[in-house]
Amino acid sequence: MTCRKATLLSAIFTALTSVLTKILRQRSRLATGASGLCYHKALQTGGASKVVPIDRSNVVITLVSAFIFLHERSATRSIAGRILIGIGTLHMAL
C-alpha cells in the first residue's frame, strides 16, 4: 500500500469515526432524557418505595452481567463491595 492510500484511508476512517461519535452522543442524550422522563412519571404513579429499588437494581444487574459475560476478575475487596451493594439494594426493596 502506498503512502497516499494509507493517508486517504486514515482520513476516511477519521471522518467516519467523527460522524459515528456524534450520532452516538446524540442518541445517548435522547435516551438519557427519555429515561429521566420515565423515571419521574414512574415516581408520580408508583411511589418512591416501589420505583427506587427497581431503578437502583441496575447497578447489581451491571455487576452480574460484567462477571458473567465479560468474565471480569475481581479482588476480594471488590467482591465484598459488590455484595454490600446487592444487600443494600435488597434492603431498599423490602
Side-chain angles (χ1 to χ4, degrees):
M1 183 178 325
T2 64
C3 187
R4 281 187 169 175
K5 286 182 183 177
T7 304
L8 179 62
L9 287 175
S10 177
I12 291 171
F13 179 75
T14 302
L16 286 174
T17 303
S18 176
V19 169
L20 288 175
T21 300
K22 288 178 184 177
I23 290 171
L24 290 175
R25 282 184 184 163
Q26 289 172 348
R27 291 196 177 184
S28 175
R29 289 180 188 129
L30 290 173
T32 301
S35 172
L37 291 174
C38 292
Y39 181 72
H40 289 292
K41 181 65 176 175
L43 282 174
Q44 288 175 349
T45 59
S49 63
K50 294 178 183 176
V51 174
V52 172
I54 294 170
D55 179 59
R56 297 299 170 217
S57 66
N58 67 352
V59 174
V60 175
I61 293 169
T62 301
L63 293 173
V64 171
S65 297
F67 180 75
I68 292 172
F69 298 113
L70 301 176
H71 306 289
E72 280 197 10
R73 296 182 184 173
S74 299
T76 305
R77 285 175 59 182
S78 178
I79 293 171
R82 292 175 184 197
I83 291 171
L84 289 173
I85 290 171
I87 291 171
T89 303
L90 286 174
H91 183 67
M92 280 192 306
L94 302 175

